[in-house]
Amino acid sequence: QVDLVESGGGLVQAGGSLKLSCAASGFTLDYYAIGWFRQAPGKEREGVSCISSSDGSTYYADSVKGRFTISRDNAKNTVYLQIHSLKPEDTAVYYCATDLKPILGVGAIPYYWGQGTQVTVSS
């Protein structure tokens, strides 16, 4: 059974940092791409970052470039999203997701999702 569990969210002040984790089970993370998405109240879901398995290449949405860093620890079967210089507009529920494929295309909607972790940034 594929399972993704996010953690690390919380309430932080603008300018602060958080490190989100996505712990995977039921499959070996090494072989598959993982994406991070977020959804703010009243807004559409947004893909913010993803990391492929084939060559470890990464993608970042323009809104988070330079502030978000995605990484993976295959030994722990976990993907991380390090967030710096948080802004109030980063407030959202953050989800990790996978299609169990080596690459996750930009704009793709993965099949498997975690339950999400809330990030709230106060001004």
Side-chain angles (χ1 to χ4, degrees), residues 7-61:
S7 62
L11 172 64
V12 296
Q13 289 188 330
S17 299
L18 281 175
K19 188 173 185 178
L20 308 184
S21 300
C22 171
S25 61
F27 67 101
T28 302
L29 201 63
D30 308 36
Y31 305 119
Y32 306 112
I34 300 290
W36 280 98
F37 298 77
R38 66 185 182 184
Q39 188 163 22
K43 295 188 176 181
E44 291 188 355
R45 181 174 49 202
E46 174 189 19
V48 295
S49 183
C50 67
I51 185 167
S52 72
S53 70
S54 54
D55 59 1
S57 59
T58 57
Y59 159 84
Y60 298 96

